[in-house]
Amino acid sequence: MDCYTANWNPLGDSAFYRKYELYSMDWDLKEELRDCLVAAAPYGGPIALLRNPWRKEKVASVRPILEIYSASGVPLVSLLWKSGPVVSMGWSAEEELLCVQEDGAVLVYGLHGDFRRHFSMGNEVLQNRVLDARIFHTELGSGVAILTGAHRFTLSANVGDLKLRRMPEVPGLQSAPSCWTTLFQERVAHILLAVGPDLYLLDHATCSAVTPPGLPPGVTSFLQMAVSFTYRQLALFTDTGYIWMGTASLTDKLCEFNCNIRAPPKQMVWCSRPRSKERAVVVAWERRLMVVGNAPESIQFVLDEDSYLVPELDGVRIFSRSTHEFLHEVPVASEEIFKIASMAPGALLLEAQKEYEAASFGKCFLDRFPPDSFVRMCQDLRVLNAVRDYHIGIPLTYSQYKQLTIQVLLDRLVLRRLYPLAIQICEYLRLPEVQGISRILAHWACYKVQQKDVSDEDVARAINQKLGDTPGVSYSDIAARAYGCGRTELAIKLLEYEPRSGEQVPLLLKMKRSKLALSKAIESGDTDLVFTVLLHLKNELNRGDFFMTLRNQPMALSLYRQFCKHQELETLKDLYNQDDNHQELGSFHLRASYTEERIEGRVAALQTAADAFYKAKNEFSAKATEDQMRLLRLQRRLEDDLGGHFLDLSLHDTVTTLIVGGHNKRAEQLARDFRIPDKRLWWLKLTALADLEDWEELEKFSKSKKSPIGYLPFVEICMKQHNKYEAKKYASRVGPEQKVKALLLVGDIAQAADVAIEHRNEAELSLVLSHCTGASDGATADKIQRARAQAQKK
Amino acid sequence: MAAHLSYGRVNLNVLREAVRRELREFLDKCAGSKAIVWDEYLTGPFGLIAQYSLLKEHEVEKMFTLKGSRLPAADVKNIIFFVRPRLELMDIIAENVLSEDRRGPVRDFHILFVPRRSLLCEQRLKDLGVLGSFIHREEYSLDLIPFDGDLLSMESEGAFKECYLEGDQTSLYHAAKGLMTLQALYGTIPQIFGKGECARQVANMMIRMKREFTGSQNSIFPVFDNLLLLDRNVDLLTPLATQLTYEGLIDEIYGIQNSYVKLPPEKFVPKKQGDGGKELPTEAKKLQLNSAEELYAEIRDKNFNAVGSVLSKKAKIISAAFEERHNAKTVGEIKQFVSQLPHMQAARGSLANHTSIAELIKDVTTSEDFFDKLTVEQEFMSGIDTDKVNNYIEDCIAQKHPLIKVLRLVCLQSVCNSGLKQKVLDYYKREILQTYGYEHILTLHNLEKAGLLKPQTGGRNSCPTIRKTLRLWVDDVNEQNPTDISYVYSGYAPLSVRLAQLLSRPGWRSIEEVLRILPGPHFEERQPLPTGLQKKRQPGENRVTLIFFLGGVTFAEIAALRFLSQLDDGGTEYVIATTKLMNGTSWIEGLMEKPF
């Protein structure tokens, strides 16, 4: 502990920089780094080396080897490069390796060397070849910038959404720029390039010459330029050994340094920390590393080996054949704790901790201090320690971790197939399942289905065992992946576990398992889904097979029938025919008969209907339909004979119309032909004659024989037509049971009372009494009361 | 605004607010001025969710009814179609879009499917070449609409016909979705009971859907203790009988639509002296009927015979209250009186309305024909003379009474007798066809398919067993101060509600035999809750049961359930949900088929 500050190097008065080892690398490199194309991803990402690049005149027959390592040097993959010459490589934000070929093709590989896709940077690039290329990261995504043999730039700011932009020409440019970089301002990527003593800024449409403020005279060339991690600062290294540091907009100079070394540096990167006022640039030559900033002196390190710098958010990683180090500005908090003779609280606490050997000493002296931030910090440290472990090899700092977020870190663990660690972290941090464990398991399963040497059964079982019903796991996504790998059977097995039919069914359709899709859709109860499958099946199968499929699925069949009823009537008929559903066929033809215009057509359709009903053993409907045909023909004849409108009247109304028209004979005949029951015929005639107010005929009718419906209806119907005179005629003929009612109807209350008293019927007595409302009814009411009293005495 | 929805044990305003929010969010997605083109059927149900003012706040400037050819001119940025997912409506929409005037200002089209997006419909739009014209195609899951503090309906007109006649379960799927929404708002319902084929399917879908949603653990404390799913075809009898509660009779006679009733205006003319010559209004009087109206809430569920006395008592109280003004002497007293005036005037208006309605109904219920019909119904329901041709029905046919009335009675007889003797059935059918026309044979087929009309098939008539075991007929019914649910039909206790009552106490195990006779399976499912959400019932605290009628429910049944809810020792309070609020007439009408 005492020597904690031993590797602290002051830069000026206000800041310290320190360099410490992250890992000792045992990646067993066979060649020097300088012989390789190197790509190292930020945030402690993987390192890709493409050995034996083409720039060296080696034996053409030896294919180069692409190797990918973790930041700790653990080999992830090694493969023979079989494509064309590569100019430059870089990692995307999703940790995909982009390899830019000389012909402008960009090949995209996964972390494990799995080829993902490729895209081209355009025809112009193809023709003029790629001279140089850079992969850069902005908030828009990962971009590629290309310098072609014609000294023109083409860039795409986001390779995920490839839109190529050809940058404007630099007037009079004859040779390649001595150095260039991409800038990013106001959500647009620019190119800054140096040609001799001049700097040019290329944006969307224009090329403008720019001059950094405060640049001393005498510069004839820029050898190196570096833009900071956040695109805010820019550093320029001139052929006079002078380093200009300023804003990326080239409006202000922040500081400068003269190192007096005129040799072009191998690499130059910014080394700053978010929210720190300190600015520093790390410059690397073959054997020398220099940290320069706003101070007259610089910090110098000797490089024992060939080294490579990786800019990070809050520092610089430096790796070589044997070590991997981190160089950064010492944070203020550390400074306060460890600076010699510091009296800051943290420093005192550290002293105390040394004395009492308590890990979280001091916490108990703070009351009312929310423990959350303490707990969170401990959790974060634990996570960081876990991923920094040599086997995992993600050397994240705290600031990087916070910038990256836990979700992205989990994604990166998943990408490295470190599923158990990812899950442990989720459990430890108690992340919601949907964000955490489920996502990881789903990724694991997607990886699992690609293991072609394991049988479908085993993979499906393994996945289900591990995933079970974990919330938020999408089995259909996994199945889609399996299908993508050509494992249809496995996909189907996996889909069995998918509870969401809305996801399950479309994939089954895509895999041409329509019948299975149909039964799944039916299970879900979602009729819209069933319809979708049905229409799919209808197009896919021939009619016979389609019908057979329906036959085995009653629910689908009824839905399809409904569809046909509104959309394809003829198909509906075929469906009924296929099922020998004669009852429905009968109804179908019945309905169809009404669409026929001519009476012959209607009768013919009805005949078909009747035949169908017979086949269905529905005697009643068959007979009724035949009756209907008979009636139709009759009505037609009536219209011919008598004129007027008869068609489509009911039998009842036909008879009524005949009576009203005075065609009694025909009415009688019709009633006999269709065996209208006597009672109804009486009602019918009674109503018709009363409507006609043909009282004479009505009376004749009433006397034709004994009424099967009694005579009360006669009284009622006369009263309805307000003919009391006629009503009274029938009241006398009403049978004893309804006599009182009839008398009351015609308003003969006194006689009604007499009859009721005679009947000694209590209900009738009260009924009459309730009608005694007029002034003249007083006597009747008394009479009833007396009768009641008498009845009670007995 | 909809305070009456929050009076009950379960605050249904939460649901209303949730669906309103969803509507607002959709409207705001289509930025700028808008015109809504309505599928006309939706306007009624939507009225219960959002008034025009809400739409206006979200820049809805015009409203049209969906019909063919070109859309009316409207200077708006967005045209939004509010439609049910039906193919025939898609054809109309396509026609609208295709005939849009290209020279006019460009208008953005959107579709809001209610209650669910449909691939089938979108395919149709695609086939018609207009799918790409729509910027937003979304769904508005308006499944269950709150009608009152204890009442939800899907107002799905064709649900019964689709489920029981056509084998189309779409409305069951929507019901299950609606129940999932309800659970998302009111917590997982721990126990599901059910009786009937459709009930079983809805329960299955719910369990399935729950698996789909496992990602989001529902952490809401459950409001409902259990859910009872009931198929309408378990109890075909009840809706056929004439409802005898106040609300039921209003519905039977005038038809209540989306909680509104239209009444003949004559009785509602304010009686004032001196303007006797004024002509009568011709436009129907439209009244909203729900528990927001205090008096209506009190009398709606009473047997109509008990309504008169309440009304006259109220009249006395109100006039006494108005008389109070003579006693108000001091300024303070007068001030207090005046402050109560608006409430008193509202009460007086309400009383006047209901007195008028009661008079209208009384004119019907005191008619001889109503009495005769009721007598026949009651005979059937108590099991008298159900197996022979009924004179009254015969006379009704002979006098060509409305066909629906005849069908209701014939079906009632058939249901009360476990089917009619073939001879009797054929006789009725023949009489109906001859009198009303042969085209009605299709309607008769439908009724037979639905089981409302059927021939007796071997075996014995199981109706007496059911009637006796479930005590469906109660002789000494008390209409004024009821002690049993049978008061809603003056003697007949609705089977559906009896099943609910027996489930709550003592449990269905006691009626296994009857349950086996009734169609469809009966079942129980449990939805496990995390321990933190398990309810510890306080002693005396009532359970809350959500009872869902698949295929429709009548106001009389609702009244019976409300009666059970308010019983002191009932132990269960009910919230009622259904696919459609209906009565025998609208029910039979839905099953009728008119080929021309």
Side-chain angles (χ1 to χ4, degrees):
Chain A
M1 272 302 168
D2 289 24
C3 57
Y4 194 87
T5 56
N7 60 354
W8 288 22
N9 301 286
L11 186 70
D13 304 329
S14 51
F16 293 92
Y17 286 78
R18 85 174 162 140
K19 183 159 77 85
Y20 63 93
E21 187 177 74
L22 294 168
Y23 305 110
S24 71
M25 304 290 273
D26 55 345
W27 49 357
D28 195 24
L29 289 184
K30 289 180 190 71
E31 294 182 52
E32 292 301 323
L33 278 178
R34 74 169 80 88
D35 294 333
C36 301
L37 275 179
V38 181
Y43 295 99
I47 303 168
L49 302 176
L50 187 57
R51 292 196 192 165
N52 188 16
W54 299 260
R55 64 180 121 140
K56 277 197 145 191
E57 302 301 325
K58 284 239 172 172
V59 191
S61 63
V62 178
R63 288 190 189 277
I65 296 168
L66 174 67
E67 294 193 306
I68 299 175
Y69 296 92
S70 77
S72 56
V74 175
L76 296 174
V77 75
S78 163
L79 52 101
L80 270 184
W81 185 259
K82 292 175 183 166
S83 305
V86 176
V87 175
S88 177
M89 300 193 301
W91 292 93
S92 75
E94 293 79 32
E95 296 197 325
E96 285 179 326
L97 183 64
L98 309 175
C99 306
V100 185
Q101 290 195 155
E102 206 180 62
D103 58 2
V106 181
L107 309 182
V108 184
Y109 286 86
L111 194 62
H112 296 276
D114 42 322
F115 178 73
R116 294 274 168 84
R117 61 182 192 280
H118 72 93
F119 56 89
S120 160
M121 291 301 287
N123 264 337
E124 202 260 346
V125 178
L126 176 67
Q127 277 162 22
N128 295 314
R129 317 308 279 175
V130 178
L131 213 57
D132 194 7
R134 302 276 159 82
I135 315 296
F136 59 99
H137 305 279
T138 66
E139 60 194 70
L140 300 178
S142 306
V144 179
I146 298 237
L147 171 63
T148 70
H151 312 309
R152 289 287 298 269
F153 287 92
T154 294
L155 69 77
S156 165
N158 179 9
V159 295
D161 174 24
L162 196 68
K163 283 193 191 99
L164 295 177
R165 237 172 60 202
R166 196 166 171 226
M167 306 303 273
E169 202 173 356
V170 181
L173 183 62
Q174 294 301 324
S175 57
S178 55
C179 58
W180 62 278
T181 187
T182 50
L183 298 180
F184 187 73
Q185 276 153 8
E186 284 157 2
R187 298 181 58 77
V188 181
H190 306 278
I191 301 263
L192 181 71
L193 67 149
V195 184
D198 304 316
L199 290 173
Y200 296 96
L201 185 67
L202 303 180
D203 66 11
H204 204 82
T206 57
C207 165
S208 39
V210 286
T211 324
L215 191 73
V219 173
T220 57
S221 174
F222 294 93
L223 301 181
Q224 215 21 296
M225 58 175 74
V227 67
S228 68
F229 205 81
T230 53
Y231 290 97
R232 290 216 189 100
Q233 287 103 37
L234 178 76
L236 303 166
F237 190 98
T238 72
D239 56 350
T240 53
Y242 168 85
I243 301 170
W244 181 92
M245 288 168 271
T247 56
S249 55
L250 289 163
T251 48
D252 298 291
K253 181 166 85 175
L254 297 168
C255 53
E256 59 188 359
F257 186 80
N258 209 326
C259 69
N260 293 322
I261 301 173
R262 283 163 186 257
K266 249 180 67 189
Q267 267 185 297
M268 176 168 78
V269 298
W270 281 87
C271 177
S272 50
R273 156 183 298 285
R275 287 180 296 281
S276 161
K277 286 197 193 73
E278 299 300 322
R279 325 267 174 218
V281 165
V282 181
V283 195
W285 289 267
E286 213 47 44
R287 285 284 174 261
R288 191 205 300 263
L289 192 73
M290 193 183 276
V291 184
V292 303
N294 193 12
E297 299 296 321
S298 66
I299 307 167
Q300 306 232 6
F301 298 98
V302 174
L303 294 174
D304 299 329
E305 298 172 288
D306 210 8
S307 296
Y308 190 85
L309 308 188
V310 190
E312 287 281 8
L313 175 71
D314 54 351
V316 180
R317 280 189 291 130
I318 305 156
F319 64 84
S320 68
R321 201 186 173 88
S322 58
T323 65
H324 194 158
E325 293 174 306
F326 189 57
L327 168 63
H328 71 143
E329 180 203 336
V330 174
V332 181
S334 307
E335 213 178 290
E336 283 180 348
I337 295 171
F338 296 109
K339 205 164 66 178
I340 292 156
S342 169
M343 293 298 280
L348 299 179
L349 203 55
L350 180 71
E351 282 305 311
Q353 184 259 345
K354 278 183 206 156
E355 294 297 321
Y356 301 107
E357 295 183 351
S360 55
F361 187 84
K363 199 168 60 129
C364 42
F365 293 104
L366 288 166
D367 50 345
R368 286 197 307 263
F369 181 76
D372 312 7
S373 58
F374 179 77
V375 171
R376 217 175 305 127
M377 182 57 80
C378 291
Q379 287 176 336
D380 287 343
L381 288 176
R382 190 152 176 212
V383 171
L384 282 175
N385 276 327
V387 299
R388 276 186 204 178
D389 182 275
Y390 172 84
H391 296 97
I392 310 299
I394 304 179
L396 280 182
T397 65
Y398 181 77
S399 330
Q400 289 168 19
Y401 168 61
K402 285 289 140 182
Q403 180 73 21
L404 198 63
T405 72
I406 180 68
Q407 266 72 28
V408 178
L409 177 61
L410 287 172
D411 280 348
R412 297 198 162 181
L413 292 175
V414 164
L415 222 51
R416 286 162 175 72
R417 297 176 192 155
L418 298 166
Y419 306 106
L421 175 65
I423 287 175
Q424 275 172 3
I425 291 179
C426 291
E427 281 169 353
Y428 175 64
L429 295 180
R430 296 202 186 121
L431 293 181
E433 285 189 316
V434 179
Q435 288 172 33
I437 293 177
S438 308
R439 220 161 47 114
I440 291 154
L441 285 175
H443 280 292
W444 166 80
C446 287
Y447 165 63
K448 192 85 187 161
V449 297
Q450 295 168 38
Q451 294 180 339
K452 303 217 170 175
D453 49 331
V454 188
S455 77
D456 291 344
E457 297 283 337
D458 292 345
V459 173
R461 200 177 318 116
I463 288 177
N464 184 240
Q465 261 170 17
K466 201 147 269 172
L467 271 62
D469 284 337
T470 315
V473 167
S474 164
Y475 277 98
S476 54
D477 285 355
I478 305 166
R481 185 66 67 96
Y483 177 61
C485 301
R487 301 182 74 168
T488 311
E489 286 309 314
L490 174 58
I492 292 168
K493 286 200 169 65
L494 288 169
L495 276 181
E496 280 296 317
Y497 302 117
E498 172 63 64
R500 292 166 304 166
S501 334
E503 303 289 324
Q504 195 179 33
V505 171
L507 190 59
L508 284 171
L509 283 181
K510 207 167 129 194
M511 300 193 298
K512 305 232 180 311
R513 302 297 160 118
S514 319
K515 287 181 192 175
L516 188 58
L518 183 61
S519 47
K520 291 293 168 196
I522 291 170
E523 259 173 50
S524 78
D526 184 346
T527 46
D528 186 50
L529 210 53
V530 178
F531 270 127
T532 308
V533 182
L534 279 179
L535 296 189
H536 199 95
L537 274 173
K538 195 181 146 203
N539 292 331
E540 196 181 87
L541 302 176
N542 67 41
R543 206 175 163 87
D545 289 348
F546 179 53
F547 279 13
M548 276 316 285
T549 310
L550 286 179
R551 210 169 180 172
N552 300 325
Q553 298 282 9
M555 185 248 196
L557 180 59
S558 11
L559 279 181
Y560 190 62
R561 273 196 207 120
Q562 282 313 106
F563 174 79
C564 291
K565 210 178 241 178
H566 296 117
Q567 306 288 330
E568 293 176 19
L569 270 178
E570 277 307 301
T571 315
L572 184 64
K573 193 173 73 185
D574 297 345
L575 280 170
Y576 290 142
N577 259 322
Q578 177 196 264
D579 296 345
D580 292 330
N581 191 338
H582 297 293
Q583 171 67 27
E584 287 299 339
L585 267 176
S587 299
F588 177 86
H589 289 295
L590 264 187
R591 270 181 218 111
S593 77
Y594 289 96
T595 60
E596 297 284 344
E597 302 231 326
R598 294 161 47 80
I599 195 101
E600 291 78 13
R602 287 189 63 176
V603 171
L606 289 174
Q607 184 62 57
T608 325
D611 292 347
F613 286 134
Y614 274 121
K615 277 191 198 154
K617 302 215 163 31
N618 187 339
E619 198 89 1
F620 178 87
S621 295
K623 287 248 157 59
T625 308
E626 283 172 350
D627 280 351
Q628 187 183 1
M629 288 156 59
R630 200 146 54 98
L631 180 64
L632 266 178
R633 289 204 196 96
L634 261 165
Q635 288 173 328
R636 167 72 169 277
R637 200 172 319 139
L638 287 174
E639 284 191 0
D640 288 349
D641 293 356
L642 309 173
H645 171 70
F646 283 98
L647 274 179
D648 281 325
L649 291 183
S650 72
L651 175 63
H652 190 95
D653 293 348
T654 310
V655 178
T656 304
T657 312
L658 284 173
I659 293 173
V660 171
H663 309 289
N664 278 320
K665 278 258 167 58
R666 292 210 190 219
E668 294 286 346
Q669 185 60 41
L670 203 56
R672 259 197 309 280
D673 284 355
F674 282 86
R675 288 184 290 126
I676 295 182
D678 232 13
K679 271 164 94 179
R680 181 149 59 81
L681 189 60
W682 273 71
W683 272 111
L684 188 161
K685 276 196 178 174
L686 168 65
T687 317
L689 292 174
D691 277 348
L692 275 178
E693 302 197 29
D694 189 346
W695 306 117
E696 203 178 317
E697 191 63 35
L698 184 65
E699 195 171 351
K700 238 195 301 181
F701 169 55
S702 76
K703 288 174 178 161
S704 62
K705 65 176 198 180
K706 190 172 177 290
S707 163
I709 55 173
Y711 292 92
L712 185 62
F714 284 76
V715 179
E716 283 172 337
I717 207 140
C718 291
M719 287 310 293
K720 219 163 145 195
Q721 303 280 0
H722 309 290
N723 193 334
K724 204 180 210 173
Y725 173 76
E726 288 292 330
K728 280 189 171 167
K729 283 186 189 167
Y730 301 107
S732 57
R733 295 166 69 182
V734 172
E737 277 180 24
Q738 293 173 315
K739 193 88 173 191
V740 172
K741 229 174 176 181
L743 288 169
L744 286 175
L745 266 175
V746 297
D748 197 341
I749 293 172
Q751 208 187 331
D754 288 347
V755 176
I757 292 167
E758 193 183 317
H759 285 171
R760 292 185 191 157
N761 182 321
E762 179 54 34
E764 284 180 3
L765 285 171
S766 349
L767 185 66
V768 179
L769 203 54
S770 72
H771 277 74
C772 294
T773 45
S776 56
D777 302 330
T780 315
D782 289 347
K783 201 168 161 188
I784 292 170
Q785 298 294 14
R786 275 201 305 280
R788 269 186 167 173
Q790 221 162 22
Q792 267 164 6
K793 258 184 229 161
K794 284 178 189 170
Chain B
M1 208 153 81
H4 63 288
L5 296 181
S6 53
Y7 293 158
R9 178 77 183 273
V10 176
N11 183 355
L12 294 183
N13 237 340
V14 173
L15 174 64
R16 187 171 182 268
E17 280 312 315
V19 287
R20 278 165 70 91
R21 190 166 54 240
E22 204 186 323
L23 181 63
R24 281 195 214 105
E25 280 166 10
F26 172 75
L27 289 173
D28 288 343
K29 266 188 203 165
C30 314
S33 55
K34 326 171 172 49
I36 296 180
V37 184
W38 287 97
D39 169 353
E40 206 166 11
Y41 183 79
L42 290 175
T43 51
F46 259 79
L48 295 165
I49 296 301
Q51 277 80 17
Y52 185 50
S53 57
L54 180 142
L55 301 177
K56 219 167 172 177
E57 275 166 32
H58 295 266
E59 296 181 86
V60 175
E61 292 174 2
K62 290 261 164 57
M63 310 239 260
F64 307 117
T65 305
L66 182 66
K67 50 176 184 268
S69 79
R70 186 181 291 188
L71 286 170
D75 183 21
V76 290
K77 201 174 160 296
N78 301 284
I79 302 276
I80 312 175
F81 294 93
F82 278 36
V83 288
R84 288 167 296 162
R86 300 198 164 196
L87 289 179
E88 61 272 19
L89 298 180
M90 297 307 113
D91 295 348
I92 301 178
I93 291 176
E95 202 181 326
N96 282 173
V97 172
L98 290 173
S99 55
E100 177 82 347
D101 190 350
R102 311 224 171 269
R103 286 158 303 169
V106 178
R107 306 192 284 190
D108 290 346
F109 291 106
H110 315 274
I111 292 192
L112 188 64
F113 287 110
V114 186
R116 211 130 277 120
R117 252 177 102 159
S118 143
L119 296 166
L120 190 67
C121 286
E122 295 191 356
Q123 184 61 43
R124 170 59 65 98
L125 290 174
K126 200 172 167 191
D127 293 345
L128 294 168
V130 294
L131 187 68
S133 312
F134 298 97
I135 297 179
H136 289 294
R137 292 193 309 270
E138 308 223 346
E139 66 180 24
Y140 181 49
S141 24
L142 186 65
D143 291 307
L144 286 165
I145 304 159
F147 270 66
D148 219 317
D150 58 356
L151 182 59
L152 300 158
S153 171
M154 290 165 58
E155 284 309 285
S156 161
E157 210 173 21
F160 181 85
K161 190 176 177 195
E162 284 161 22
C163 293
Y164 299 97
L165 234 58
E166 298 169 342
D168 176 354
Q169 311 176 344
T170 307
S171 51
L172 299 183
Y173 184 71
H174 293 171
K177 282 273 185 189
L179 283 165
M180 295 314 283
T181 309
L182 223 52
Q183 290 188 93
L185 293 170
Y186 298 100
T188 305
I189 306 174
Q191 253 180 319
I192 304 175
F193 297 94
K195 171 70 189 168
E197 209 56 64
C198 293
R200 180 67 263 182
Q201 287 188 28
V202 170
N204 286 350
M205 288 184 212
M206 284 174 71
I207 292 162
R208 224 191 128 79
M209 287 174 187
K210 187 161 186 260
R211 269 182 64 209
E212 295 194 12
F213 289 129
T214 40
S216 43
Q217 271 288 342
N218 189 341
S219 56
I220 295 172
F221 200 80
V223 175
F224 297 106
D225 295 283
N226 44 45
L227 165 67
L228 170 58
L229 294 160
L230 269 187
D231 272 35
R232 185 70 271 175
N233 82 340
V234 169
D235 172 15
L236 292 171
L237 193 164
T238 304
L240 292 169
T242 304
Q243 309 172 65
L244 296 178
T245 58
Y246 181 53
E247 190 167 39
L249 275 167
I250 297 177
D251 187 39
E252 291 278 349
I253 298 167
Y254 297 105
I256 300 175
Q257 294 286 345
N258 295 307
S259 84
Y260 284 93
V261 67
K262 283 182 183 162
L263 297 160
E266 300 82 24
K267 294 248 181 187
F268 295 91
V269 181
K271 284 174 194 126
K272 274 185 194 156
Q273 289 164 340
D275 56 2
K278 219 172 110 183
E279 66 224 73
L280 287 170
T282 47
E283 205 170 297
K285 170 95 175 169
K286 197 172 168 186
L287 283 176
Q288 187 169 23
L289 299 174
N290 60 35
S291 63
E293 191 183 349
E294 208 178 305
L295 175 62
Y296 188 63
E298 190 180 336
I299 57 175
R300 68 197 304 188
D301 300 318
K302 287 195 185 306
N303 185 295
F304 182 65
N305 286 336
V307 168
S309 60
V310 178
L311 289 178
S312 65
K313 215 184 291 164
K314 282 278 155 176
K316 276 178 204 139
I317 294 171
I318 288 175
S319 50
F322 274 99
E323 286 309 309
E324 279 292 305
R325 72 180 184 273
H326 301 300
N327 302 337
K329 294 281 189 287
T330 68
V331 176
E333 282 166 355
I334 292 170
K335 202 174 162 194
Q336 172 154 21
F337 177 81
V338 171
S339 73
Q340 287 169 350
L341 215 50
H343 180 247
M344 284 161 59
Q345 272 163 343
R348 187 161 65 177
S350 166
L351 179 69
N353 279 342
H354 288 291
T355 311
S356 302
I357 298 173
E359 279 170 22
L360 283 168
I361 291 175
K362 200 160 181 177
D363 289 348
V364 177
T365 54
T366 50
S367 74
E368 202 175 330
D369 186 60
F370 187 87
F371 178 79
D372 290 347
K373 180 178 76 166
L374 207 61
T375 310
V376 171
E377 282 183 10
Q378 300 217 329
E379 278 173 10
F380 287 162
M381 290 189 289
S382 53
I384 300 168
D385 287 343
T386 51
D387 58 350
K388 55 187 187 203
V389 173
N390 179 280
N391 268 331
Y392 175 73
I393 298 181
E394 229 181 346
D395 287 352
C396 284
I397 298 175
Q399 296 172 68
K400 235 186 149 190
H401 281 200
L403 175 58
I404 293 186
K405 173 183 173 185
V406 171
L407 292 175
R408 265 179 88 161
L409 285 167
V410 176
C411 290
L412 182 68
Q413 187 180 355
S414 169
V415 171
C416 288
N417 197 52
S418 306
L420 297 168
K421 280 186 198 149
Q422 191 70 52
K423 232 177 73 189
V424 176
L425 179 63
D426 285 355
Y427 177 78
Y428 279 136
K429 276 161 67 178
R430 207 168 151 266
E431 287 291 282
I432 289 169
L433 292 181
Q434 287 198 349
T435 307
Y436 298 92
Y438 285 103
E439 65 270 24
H440 295 293
I441 196 167
L442 293 170
T443 299
L444 294 176
H445 285 167
N446 284 349
L447 295 174
E448 284 175 273
K449 259 203 231 170
L452 281 162
L453 208 54
K454 59 178 181 188
Q456 220 165 34
T457 47
R460 63 195 183 93
N461 178 0
S462 55
C463 286
T465 318
I466 299 173
R467 189 164 47 238
K468 233 173 93 190
T469 317
L470 299 183
R471 277 205 318 126
L472 296 187
W473 186 257
V474 177
D475 274 320
D476 48 350
V477 60
N478 186 340
E479 291 170 347
Q480 303 292 330
N481 295 302
T483 52
D484 181 72
I485 55 169
S486 54
Y487 85 92
V488 299
Y489 287 98
S490 296
Y492 166 72
L495 190 159
S496 55
V497 182
R498 195 65 104 198
L499 284 181
Q501 188 183 12
L502 288 165
L503 174 68
S504 146
R505 199 176 291 168
W508 275 356
R509 201 162 295 171
S510 60
I511 51 163
E512 283 282 344
E513 193 196 345
V514 167
L515 285 173
R516 266 198 302 276
I517 298 172
L518 295 170
H522 58 281
F523 60 88
E524 179 186 345
E525 295 282 351
R526 279 172 194 274
Q527 303 199 90
L529 292 174
T531 36
L533 296 179
Q534 279 163 17
K535 210 169 187 175
K536 289 169 203 76
R537 213 192 327 277
Q538 307 298 317
E541 190 190 337
N542 284 341
R543 271 179 306 209
V544 183
T545 294
L546 176 64
I547 174 167
F548 203 128
F549 289 86
L550 300 164
V553 69
T554 65
F555 286 108
E557 285 167 300
I558 295 169
L561 286 165
R562 286 187 181 137
F563 168 79
L564 292 178
S565 288
Q566 51 83 40
L567 280 184
D568 287 337
D569 57 349
T572 303
E573 285 177 58
Y574 294 93
V575 172
I576 303 132
T578 183
T579 50
K580 178 90 180 80
L581 293 169
M582 59 129 168
N583 58 45
T585 301
S586 62
W587 190 31
I588 298 290
E589 204 165 17
L591 293 171
M592 286 177 73
E593 193 171 334
K594 295 164 192 124
F596 63 90

